[in-house]
Amino acid sequence: MAKEVTSKEENYSQWYNNLVVKADLAENSAVRGCMVIKPYGYAIWEKIQGQLDRMFKATGHQNAYFPLFIPKSFLSREAEHVEGFAKECAVVTHHRLKANPDGPGVVVDPDARLEEELIVRPTSETIIWNSYKNWIKSYRDLPILINQWANVVRWEMRTRLFLRTAEFLWQEGHTAHATAKEAMEEAQRMVQVYADFARTHMALPVVVGHKSEHERFAGALDTLCIEAMMQDGKALQAGTSHFLGQNFAKAFDVKFADKDGKLDYVWATSWGVSTRLMGALIMAHGDNNGLVLPPAIAPIQVVFVPIYKGQEELDRMVAYMKDIASELEKAGISTKIDDRDNVRSGFKFAEWELKGVPVRVVIGPRDLERGEVEICRRDTLEKSAASREGLAGHIKELLDEIQANIYNKALAFRDSKTVKVDTWDEFKERIEEGGFLLCHWDGTTETEMKIQEETKATIRCIPIDSYVCEEPGKCVYSGRPSQRRVIFARSY
Amino acid sequence: MAKEVTSKEENYSQWYNNLVVKADLAENSAVRGCMVIKPYGYAIWEKIQGQLDRMFKATGHQNAYFPLFIPKSFLSREAEHVEGFAKECAVVTHHRLKANPDGPGVVVDPDARLEEELIVRPTSETIIWNSYKNWIKSYRDLPILINQWANVVRWEMRTRLFLRTAEFLWQEGHTAHATAKEAMEEAQRMVQVYADFARTHMALPVVVGHKSEHERFAGALDTLCIEAMMQDGKALQAGTSHFLGQNFAKAFDVKFADKDGKLDYVWATSWGVSTRLMGALIMAHGDNNGLVLPPAIAPIQVVFVPIYKGQEELDRMVAYMKDIASELEKAGISTKIDDRDNVRSGFKFAEWELKGVPVRVVIGPRDLERGEVEICRRDTLEKSAASREGLAGHIKELLDEIQANIYNKALAFRDSKTVKVDTWDEFKERIEEGGFLLCHWDGTTETEMKIQEETKATIRCIPIDSYVCEEPGKCVYSGRPSQRRVIFARSY
């Protein structure tokens, strides 16, 4: 095979990078930390986007678009927020270039300096709440349930394709409410939408929980998240939903009159997922042959590869495949016929395995005569024969089975790598093996930081589903009393 | 009516601004020249996006995503390109803020200066061709047919919502081909896709043509465009498609080996439409009551307004409307029931007229008894009664009729404002009345510039359809011989 992938047992990190590049998902660009998302990678992102967008609209949200730039002074309005983002942002200082007076090329025109510098949005709370100020007068204007699909920039020092890039694509929901209760419910609703999407469509068995105070979003009173486990046992935060209290309303002076005319600050949430989900997808399901895409988000669900000798046979196979493909398309299944005549079938098999297409259908002249096709499923690599008759129905069932199998495999893996740990010695030993450690914690940031310093493990979340953690015990580090277990893990 | 709109006869420019803001499409933000696209405006943009995206995919294009930032040196590689964009671009010079040592807030950290400044993309030819360099080795890698949906920034000095903003949303197609012929065909194919979209979906009777050399895209050998006429008789360029020759391939050294192994530079096109289309939509069809949306891109095609006294009647009307609405939705018609109990029906009528919803269905208790509904179409404001039975079919036909009528009205208007002009005196007189002047032109930039200086009219295009212009004559300005007429107009 031309495009060989490093095995994940040999070098997990290299395996990941290999998959991203060799499956044509993305590549590094000439701009430090900024990636190019290639057509196949973008097609997967479009599937993710499309499904999430439907789920957002079904829960009453509308899309809108706010400016890319944020005036520098806006960022400072919310103290924790600026602390969280000021150190890693792209700053626009000028609005014009001019011919280089000392040689070829262009230079920044010093006369075109902006009065106030603009920040390329790292997240949009500030610019959005500055708009909401004009939109909200009374309780009748609430709730505001808005989502934005956008690019954002955070000047990360160490970047990795999809997982951590300077520019990334995401969606950010920003809602405004009359009561704290309603805003908290919204933050919870949206983290559950994320969990539902991750489980049902991406086949990721995520854990839903609260972040510790230390891990919260800069400016939030509570951060909910979904955490997924990768195949090296590390955790990956796949989405967050924040209850922002009245912090941004206070920073931007956004008040509303209630039914009795009494003024109060508005309550807020924000929530987002990003192209980081692509990284989760690859690392949770991929194998040494390449990607393994859950059918629900595979841009191509079934690929057809003809076996033939000579042009006449190729034409005959392709015509036959077109018939079948159109039957499948009618049943809502996306297909592709690989009719290239300049590469061998074995090369095609390897390439579509690399790209994670859930089902491969192979047909040669003898299959045609017998009214049969060969089917190979990507998740197990198992081959079987199937009858031409009723094939669409059979494949539809198979796709459902593959979707369920990918999820169940990831779930079984996660459970096999999740352990309750009650002593500090065991903690230090088990954390080296990866996985989720369910431990008691005394609730202090001090302990959390010490554990991180000694083991690089962080609290991924205080789970609200997936695990029964409500039991009294003693902190695994300090021995102080604790009411529930939390998840510790090393993470991306 | 609470939200009164200035009449377009009184002040066309004010009328436009009023519509944009009062119909809740967009508003200015705190950042100079950057707009906020509000949910209703964004919903229209999503309809535009969705349809164009389907048409791009149907013509073999795939979406991808390239970085927001362009290294300053890239822009200089193509001489005309940098000339065209250097004077109006946002420049990122630093990547960090720090606490202000002299007071509150944050300042740019002078230690975080970038080695090379980054330009926020004004268009992506340079960053994309720098990637294509690595993607293209042989004729087998061609054609590349890629589109990108993105935000771009051009630091315009005078901005107007949708028509000219510092940041705008757009799509940009960037294709690579083995021959000049193929690239030229692609540029032509895509301008025809735009024309088809504009006519069929946006009800804009656009003219397709070539730009003059002077009006070409910076770096193109040929620019094709669609030009629409607004109701004040001014032209609006609604989309462009460029044949870029080998300019960018040469600037970024992108060569391919043909079947015989011979190396040659790759041929290119690029093509784009932007949120400017929103401006065209408003200005081409709106009236003094508000927007008039063509059904094909209306987020809400039918709005229901109940006539009632008291809660019980309201509930009864709404229940009845839900039945009808679900029938319409099944027939592919998007609906909304305005069940607000805190505003009068007259207020609702005015609001949905302002928002340009194509059809309003009004039902009161007496209509219900009679098995009838009142229908008001937005384009003509005509009211009629319709039977409850077969209503979905009736409304479907009505929407088609409205779509056709809006187009035909705009076409008749355009034709009424298009004249052949053969003398310079007549030119100067007629240009004051607005509209398209079909004139002979001697083909020189010199004449073009003089006409612009004296009348503010520019060559909108050298039409390739819509008008029979192939006839010999004499230049309206210089009297020199000419082989065909071109369109002169003042423009947005």
Side-chain angles (χ1 to χ4, degrees):
Chain A
M1 186 169 101
K3 300 188 173 182
E4 207 165 315
V5 173
T6 306
S7 86
K8 59 184 177 182
E9 293 74 20
E10 195 185 316
N11 186 334
Y12 190 79
S13 167
Q14 183 71 38
W15 165 81
Y16 173 78
N17 292 339
N18 266 204
L19 281 205
V20 173
V21 172
K22 295 189 172 173
D24 260 349
L25 301 180
E27 65 183 28
N28 285 306
S29 77
V31 182
R32 214 196 121 281
C34 292
M35 63 181 161
V36 174
I37 306 179
K38 298 183 80 174
Y40 192 60
Y42 201 84
I44 299 172
W45 178 241
E46 284 183 307
K47 297 286 284 186
I48 292 174
Q49 269 195 307
Q51 184 54 38
L52 280 171
D53 200 67
R54 279 186 289 277
M55 293 171 92
F56 297 157
K57 284 174 177 155
T59 43
H61 302 86
Q62 294 180 297
N63 289 329
Y65 188 77
F66 294 85
L68 172 67
F69 298 128
I70 297 177
K72 192 188 65 181
S73 59
F74 279 26
L75 221 56
S76 323
R77 297 257 195 111
E78 214 290 327
E80 284 182 27
H81 194 69
V82 67
E83 182 68 24
F85 291 105
K87 283 176 203 140
E88 47 176 41
C89 58
V91 189
V92 177
T93 56
H94 292 74
H95 64 81
R96 194 163 62 223
L97 299 172
K98 63 170 192 176
N100 183 357
D102 305 322
V106 282
V107 294
V108 176
D109 184 344
D111 293 340
R113 196 179 172 87
L114 296 176
E115 263 183 59
E116 180 178 5
E117 294 90 350
L118 297 173
I119 310 308
V120 180
R121 61 181 164 218
T123 180
S124 301
E125 279 77 6
T126 57
I127 190 84
I128 288 180
W129 278 85
N130 186 66
S131 293
Y132 283 180
K133 180 179 171 53
N134 305 317
W135 299 3
I136 300 168
K137 300 268 176 287
S138 115
Y139 72 97
R140 292 234 178 237
D141 302 318
L142 298 172
I144 293 179
L145 303 173
I146 282 182
N147 175 60
Q148 159 170 287
W149 290 96
N151 53 344
V152 286
V153 171
R154 298 178 186 177
W155 210 264
E156 303 280 358
M157 278 303 143
R158 263 175 295 180
T159 63
R160 287 191 74 186
L161 290 167
F162 290 124
L163 295 174
R164 197 174 290 277
T165 49
E167 181 191 15
F168 55 92
L169 303 183
W170 81 342
Q171 59 68 218
E172 45 182 328
H174 294 274
T175 68
H177 306 266
T179 65
K181 180 167 173 286
E182 205 185 292
M184 278 191 267
E185 282 167 1
E186 166 77 5
Q188 274 159 20
R189 179 180 310 117
M190 297 322 289
V191 83
Q192 292 298 346
V193 164
Y194 289 155
D196 182 17
F197 169 75
R199 290 165 184 158
T200 312
H201 296 270
M202 299 196 53
L204 292 173
V206 293
V207 178
V208 180
H210 297 271
K211 284 289 180 192
S212 67
E213 194 183 332
H214 176 65
E215 298 274 339
R216 261 179 216 152
F217 175 74
L221 298 191
D222 187 15
T223 288
L224 291 148
C225 63
I226 52 172
E227 295 281 327
M229 190 190 289
M230 303 296 100
Q231 289 177 79
D232 60 353
K234 281 167 86 172
L236 187 142
Q237 176 182 301
T240 50
S241 179
H242 316 293
F243 169 59
L244 302 172
Q246 296 173 311
N247 286 352
F248 287 91
K250 284 178 181 165
F252 289 87
D253 193 30
V254 189
K255 290 179 186 171
F256 73 103
D258 69 13
K259 282 189 188 181
D260 307 317
K262 209 171 67 77
L263 287 177
D264 192 11
Y265 289 109
V266 176
W267 299 86
T269 82
S270 68
W271 29 274
V273 300
S274 73
T275 36
R276 195 163 212 237
L277 283 175
M278 297 284 296
L281 192 66
I282 299 158
M283 287 207 295
H285 306 312
D287 64 22
N288 289 335
N289 290 354
L291 302 180
V292 175
L293 294 181
I297 51 133
I300 302 166
Q301 293 173 312
V302 176
V303 66
F304 289 87
V305 179
I307 304 293
Y308 66 95
K309 279 188 195 134
Q311 189 66 39
E312 186 274 331
E313 246 180 46
L314 173 60
D315 293 345
R316 200 149 54 90
M317 291 305 122
V318 168
Y320 186 64
M321 286 173 164
K322 278 187 181 160
D323 259 9
I324 304 178
S326 96
E327 241 180 76
L328 297 191
E329 295 278 347
K330 266 180 215 146
I333 298 164
S334 57
T335 64
K336 181 175 177 75
I337 298 170
D338 188 348
D339 59 0
R340 285 176 293 177
D341 62 0
N342 62 322
V343 293
R344 289 171 174 279
S345 320
F347 180 93
K348 294 180 185 180
F349 295 174
E351 183 164 309
W352 297 114
E353 277 175 15
L354 182 58
K355 294 201 165 188
V357 174
V359 171
R360 179 173 76 223
V361 174
V362 181
I363 311 179
R366 243 170 299 169
D367 299 309
L368 193 150
E369 276 161 36
R370 278 196 295 245
E372 280 190 357
V373 304
E374 184 192 274
I375 287 182
C376 181
R377 50 189 281 185
R378 178 63 186 90
D379 58 337
T380 59
L381 298 171
E382 283 165 4
K383 287 176 192 170
S384 60
S387 166
R388 164 73 186 86
E389 228 180 280
L391 190 59
H394 174 66
I395 288 181
K396 212 163 171 57
E397 275 171 34
L398 181 60
L399 288 171
D400 288 345
E401 196 183 314
I402 292 172
Q403 181 80 27
N405 182 52
I406 295 176
Y407 178 81
N408 289 332
K409 197 177 156 194
L411 180 63
F413 177 78
R414 187 193 80 184
D415 286 347
S416 78
K417 302 280 280 184
T418 301
V419 284
K420 289 191 177 182
V421 169
D422 290 318
T423 72
W424 184 236
D425 281 342
E426 198 190 347
F427 187 106
K428 285 186 289 188
E429 202 182 302
R430 295 303 294 253
I431 201 69
E432 296 302 327
E433 294 165 35
F436 289 173
L437 307 191
L438 294 174
C439 304
H440 283 285
W441 164 59
D442 63 21
T444 69
T445 301
E446 193 194 347
T447 296
E448 192 181 355
M449 299 303 291
K450 280 191 178 148
I451 292 175
Q452 185 175 355
E453 277 161 33
E454 291 187 37
T455 65
K456 292 186 191 142
T458 51
I459 298 175
R460 300 319 304 156
C461 71
I462 303 157
I464 57 175
D465 68 358
S466 306
Y467 297 111
V468 181
C469 289
E470 301 282 355
E471 53 173 42
K474 284 180 179 171
C475 174
V476 73
Y477 187 83
S478 70
R480 283 193 288 239
S482 147
Q483 289 313 304
R484 62 187 333 286
R485 291 175 187 271
V486 301
I487 297 177
F488 277 93
R490 288 182 183 155
S491 75
Y492 282 93
Chain B
M1 188 168 101
K3 299 188 173 181
E4 208 165 315
V5 173
T6 304
S7 87
K8 59 183 178 182
E9 293 74 20
E10 193 186 315
N11 185 336
Y12 190 79
S13 167
Q14 182 71 38
W15 165 80
Y16 173 77
N17 292 339
N18 266 203
L19 282 205
V20 173
V21 172
K22 294 188 174 173
D24 261 349
L25 301 180
E27 65 183 30
N28 285 306
S29 77
V31 182
R32 215 197 121 278
C34 292
M35 64 182 160
V36 174
I37 306 179
K38 298 183 79 174
Y40 192 61
Y42 201 85
I44 299 173
W45 178 241
E46 284 182 308
K47 297 287 283 184
I48 292 174
Q49 269 196 309
Q51 183 55 36
L52 280 171
D53 200 67
R54 279 187 290 277
M55 292 171 92
F56 297 157
K57 283 174 178 157
T59 44
H61 301 86
Q62 293 180 297
N63 289 329
Y65 188 78
F66 294 85
L68 172 67
F69 298 128
I70 298 177
K72 192 187 65 181
S73 59
F74 280 25
L75 220 56
S76 325
R77 297 259 195 110
E78 212 289 327
E80 287 183 24
H81 194 70
V82 67
E83 182 68 24
F85 291 105
K87 283 175 202 138
E88 46 175 41
C89 58
V91 189
V92 176
T93 55
H94 292 75
H95 64 80
R96 194 164 60 224
L97 299 172
K98 63 170 193 176
N100 183 357
D102 304 322
V106 283
V107 294
V108 176
D109 184 344
D111 293 340
R113 197 180 171 87
L114 296 176
E115 264 183 61
E116 180 180 3
E117 294 90 350
L118 298 172
I119 310 307
V120 180
R121 64 182 162 217
T123 180
S124 301
E125 278 77 7
T126 57
I127 190 82
I128 287 180
W129 278 85
N130 186 66
S131 292
Y132 283 0
K133 181 178 169 54
N134 305 318
W135 299 4
I136 300 168
K137 299 270 177 286
S138 116
Y139 72 96
R140 291 238 179 234
D141 302 317
L142 297 172
I144 293 179
L145 304 172
I146 282 182
N147 174 61
Q148 159 170 288
W149 291 96
N151 53 345
V152 286
V153 172
R154 298 177 186 178
W155 209 266
E156 303 280 358
M157 278 303 144
R158 262 175 296 180
T159 61
R160 286 190 74 186
L161 290 167
F162 290 125
L163 295 174
R164 197 175 291 278
T165 49
E167 181 192 15
F168 55 92
L169 303 184
W170 81 342
Q171 60 67 220
E172 44 182 328
H174 294 273
T175 69
H177 306 267
T179 65
K181 180 167 173 285
E182 205 186 293
M184 278 190 267
E185 283 166 1
E186 167 77 4
Q188 273 159 23
R189 181 180 309 116
M190 296 323 288
V191 83
Q192 292 299 347
V193 164
Y194 288 156
D196 182 18
F197 169 74
R199 290 165 184 158
T200 312
H201 296 270
M202 299 197 51
L204 292 173
V206 292
V207 178
V208 180
H210 297 270
K211 285 288 180 193
S212 66
E213 194 185 331
H214 176 65
E215 296 275 339
R216 261 177 216 152
F217 175 75
L221 298 190
D222 186 17
T223 288
L224 291 148
C225 64
I226 51 171
E227 294 281 327
M229 189 190 289
M230 302 297 100
Q231 289 178 79
D232 60 352
K234 282 167 87 171
L236 186 142
Q237 175 181 300
T240 50
S241 178
H242 317 292
F243 169 58
L244 302 172
Q246 295 173 310
N247 287 351
F248 287 92
K250 284 178 182 166
F252 289 89
D253 193 30
V254 189
K255 289 179 187 171
F256 74 102
D258 69 13
K259 283 189 186 182
D260 308 318
K262 210 172 66 87
L263 286 178
D264 192 10
Y265 289 109
V266 177
W267 299 85
T269 81
S270 68
W271 28 275
V273 298
S274 72
T275 35
R276 195 162 212 239
L277 283 176
M278 298 285 295
L281 192 67
I282 298 159
M283 285 207 295
H285 306 313
D287 64 21
N288 288 336
N289 290 355
L291 301 181
V292 176
L293 294 181
I297 51 133
I300 302 166
Q301 294 174 310
V302 177
V303 66
F304 289 87
V305 178
I307 304 293
Y308 66 96
K309 279 189 195 133
Q311 189 66 40
E312 186 275 330
E313 245 178 48
L314 173 60
D315 292 345
R316 199 148 55 89
M317 292 305 121
V318 168
Y320 186 63
M321 285 171 164
K322 277 187 182 162
D323 258 10
I324 304 177
S326 97
E327 240 179 78
L328 298 190
E329 294 278 348
K330 265 180 217 146
I333 299 165
S334 57
T335 64
K336 181 175 177 75
I337 297 170
D338 187 348
D339 60 0
R340 285 177 293 176
D341 61 1
N342 62 322
V343 292
R344 291 169 174 277
S345 319
F347 180 94
K348 293 181 185 179
F349 294 174
E351 182 163 310
W352 296 114
E353 277 176 15
L354 182 60
K355 293 201 164 187
V357 174
V359 171
R360 179 175 77 223
V361 174
V362 180
I363 310 179
R366 244 170 299 168
D367 299 309
L368 193 150
E369 278 161 34
R370 279 196 295 245
E372 280 189 357
V373 304
E374 183 191 274
I375 287 184
C376 181
R377 51 189 279 186
R378 178 64 185 89
D379 58 336
T380 60
L381 297 171
E382 283 164 4
K383 287 176 193 168
S384 59
S387 165
R388 164 73 185 88
E389 227 178 282
L391 190 60
H394 174 66
I395 287 182
K396 213 162 170 57
E397 277 171 32
L398 181 60
L399 289 170
D400 287 345
E401 197 184 313
I402 292 172
Q403 182 79 27
N405 182 52
I406 295 176
Y407 178 81
N408 289 332
K409 196 177 155 193
L411 181 62
F413 177 78
R414 188 193 79 184
D415 287 346
S416 77
K417 302 280 279 182
T418 301
V419 286
K420 288 192 178 182
V421 169
D422 290 318
T423 72
W424 183 236
D425 280 343
E426 198 190 346
F427 188 107
K428 283 186 291 187
E429 202 182 303
R430 295 302 295 252
I431 200 71
E432 296 302 328
E433 294 164 34
F436 289 173
L437 307 191
L438 294 174
C439 304
H440 283 286
W441 162 59
D442 64 19
T444 69
T445 300
E446 192 195 348
T447 295
E448 191 180 357
M449 299 303 290
K450 280 191 178 148
I451 292 175
Q452 185 174 356
E453 276 160 34
E454 291 187 34
T455 65
K456 291 184 192 145
T458 51
I459 298 175
R460 299 320 304 157
C461 72
I462 303 157
I464 57 175
D465 69 358
S466 306
Y467 298 110
V468 181
C469 290
E470 301 283 355
E471 54 174 42
K474 285 181 178 171
C475 174
V476 72
Y477 187 84
S478 69
R480 284 193 287 239
S482 148
Q483 290 313 304
R484 61 188 335 285
R485 292 175 187 272
V486 301
I487 298 178
F488 277 94
R490 288 181 182 156
S491 75
Y492 280 93

